[in-house]
Amino acid sequence: HRAVTHRAVTIGKTLTPSVEGGSGTHASGTHAYALDPRNASVLVGMRDGVTGAFSLIPRVDAKVSVFDSGFVLGDGVWEGIRLHDGVLMYAAEHVKRLFQGAKAIDMDVGVTPEGLIKMMYDTVDANEMHEGVHIRLMVTRGLKSTPYQNPTFTVGKPTIVIAAEHKTAAEGPKVNGMRLMTTHVRRGAPDVQDPAWNSHSKLNCIAACIQANKAGVDESLMLDPHGFVATCNSVHFFIVVDGVVVTSKRKYILHGITRDNVMRIARVLGIETREEDFTLTAVYSADECFVTGTFAGVLPVREVDGRKIGDGERGPVVRRLQEAYAKEADAIARRGRGR
């Protein structure tokens, strides 16, 4: 299979991801995956906020109103979750973060965390999914009586959409690594829009992503308001210096599930971890760099702003973390659902 990006084109009534050409640089990016024709006919889980009904709807028929809060204003929160060997990875942690974001924006999800996890399992089971699946769980404030930002104009409960796809991360980037550039787009302070919210309003990250696309690299590295390294536009960023794994403080980033689990795994392996402020100078001279995210796990970074990182190859610390992270995923799956 050829690697594809998230861009989609409509062919007849079937939504099919577009394939990057041979010269497409983003085929090796953080979210590169193999085209799977089964995705054209998947069932999407949807909870209608007005009726309260949860339904499984064919992908081509899965729609929300043009008056939905998510469409009108980007008013909502979301999570990305992997299904491995029939088990949702770190489901409780992801759902907890979603509920934290929902409470911060004063949105009652209208279902318990356990009920939301059940909806996700109902969706993947209806699709007979077991392995190599990525889920986008989206919760918007719901239907608007008119296009206006005030939440009091919302009709009913939030809209819930569970889009599960057969989507396995490409193997090449796990070895060959990422190329990054530093974007002019900064991570904002929490009194502007709290970066800890995994909100539908992602325009700052999209702007950073566009800049990476124009520059022909895989991802943008974003600085905080003080010029220190914060995170990337869709994944978290780490450096390795003298065997120590270093990442940014949590002040200007999404509090990453994979980020935290990889740091915990590193400590179990006897690798020291630190959360501290550091500049691009430390990045350029690091022995290794890597990024983490739900979709691909741990990916090495071989270049930042045209500077080769280390020897330009995947380093030993990254390799150990990749192997340990994969083993933990297997262990979680063996424990089964609900554990």
Side-chain angles (χ1 to χ4, degrees):
H1 295 301
R2 299 173 69 187
V4 299
T5 67
H6 285 298
R7 289 196 294 274
V9 294
T10 304
I11 303 176
K13 290 187 176 180
T14 302
L15 291 176
T16 305
S18 64
V19 180
E20 286 288 349
S23 62
T25 57
H26 293 284
S28 61
T30 59
H31 289 72
Y33 63 98
L35 178 64
D36 193 318
R38 292 176 294 176
N39 288 328
S41 58
V42 295
L43 298 172
V44 177
M46 300 187 70
R47 200 278 300 275
D48 187 308
V50 177
T51 67
F54 179 75
S55 305
L56 292 158
I57 303 171
R59 177 172 179 155
V60 294
D61 298 319
K63 301 175 179 67
V64 297
S65 169
V66 294
F67 290 95
D68 187 85
S69 299
F71 181 78
V72 174
L73 295 159
D75 184 3
V77 289
W78 63 274
E79 288 291 325
I81 304 173
R82 286 174 56 225
L83 182 76
H84 176 58
D85 201 12
V87 175
L88 296 170
M89 294 288 101
Y90 308 110
E93 292 95 323
H94 280 285
V95 170
K96 180 180 179 180
R97 183 172 67 182
L98 183 140
F99 271 78
Q100 288 174 336
K103 188 170 185 179
I105 62 173
D106 198 28
M107 182 176 72
D108 181 359
V109 178
V111 65
T112 65
E114 295 76 19
L116 196 53
I117 291 173
K118 182 180 184 301
M119 286 181 184
M120 288 191 284
Y121 274 123
D122 287 346
T123 301
V124 297
D125 290 346
N127 283 293
E128 299 182 348
M129 292 171 161
H130 187 73
E131 178 59 45
V133 173
H134 184 262
I135 296 166
R136 177 61 69 96
L137 168 63
M138 296 166 276
V139 182
T140 74
R141 198 176 297 273
L143 185 67
K144 289 285 186 184
S145 59
T146 190
Y148 179 56
Q149 68 184 36
N150 195 320
T152 61
F153 285 75
T154 304
V155 180
K157 297 179 181 179
T159 302
I160 298 175
V161 176
I162 300 167
E165 294 182 300
H166 300 280
K167 188 185 292 184
T168 301
E171 291 299 316
K174 298 176 184 178
V175 177
N176 300 329
M178 303 289 99
R179 297 173 61 239
L180 311 183
M181 61 155 285
T182 305
T183 176
H184 75 281
V185 182
R186 300 294 181 101
R187 297 292 291 184
D191 59 352
V192 178
Q193 179 170 310
D194 195 336
W197 300 347
N198 204 15
S199 71
H200 281 239
S201 305
K202 285 283 185 180
L203 277 177
N204 67 326
C205 293
I206 293 169
C209 179
I210 291 169
Q211 193 168 6
N213 289 347
K214 296 296 185 182
V217 298
D218 298 305
E219 190 95 2
S220 275
L221 188 60
M222 303 177 75
L223 306 182
D224 70 21
H226 307 290
F228 296 106
V229 174
T231 186
C232 294
N233 59 269
S234 73
V235 288
H236 288 87
F237 181 77
F238 294 77
I239 63 175
V240 181
V241 180
D242 296 330
V244 178
V245 169
V246 182
T247 193
S248 61
K249 295 179 180 179
R250 294 161 62 93
K251 293 182 293 184
Y252 301 103
I253 66 171
L254 177 68
H255 298 167
I257 307 298
T258 307
R259 171 190 182 272
D260 291 350
N261 282 314
V262 167
M263 292 178 68
R264 174 181 50 77
I265 289 169
R267 291 190 290 270
V268 170
L269 294 174
I271 301 171
E272 183 182 351
T273 65
R274 298 177 188 169
E275 294 176 281
E276 62 186 35
D277 292 333
F278 59 93
T279 66
L280 287 170
T281 298
V283 173
Y284 301 150
S285 60
D287 302 315
E288 302 176 49
C289 295
F290 64 94
V291 295
T292 63
T294 296
F295 180 62
V298 181
L299 297 174
V301 172
R302 72 174 188 269
E303 178 186 301
V304 178
D305 295 335
R307 279 82 160 178
K308 182 170 68 175
I309 302 300
D311 60 6
E313 304 292 333
R314 176 177 59 169
V317 173
V318 172
R319 186 190 298 269
R320 288 182 69 194
L321 291 174
Q322 287 177 322
E323 292 171 351
Y325 184 73
K327 288 179 180 177
E328 174 156 299
D330 290 339
I332 291 171
R334 284 195 299 270
R335 291 199 294 269
R337 297 181 177 184
R339 299 182 182 180

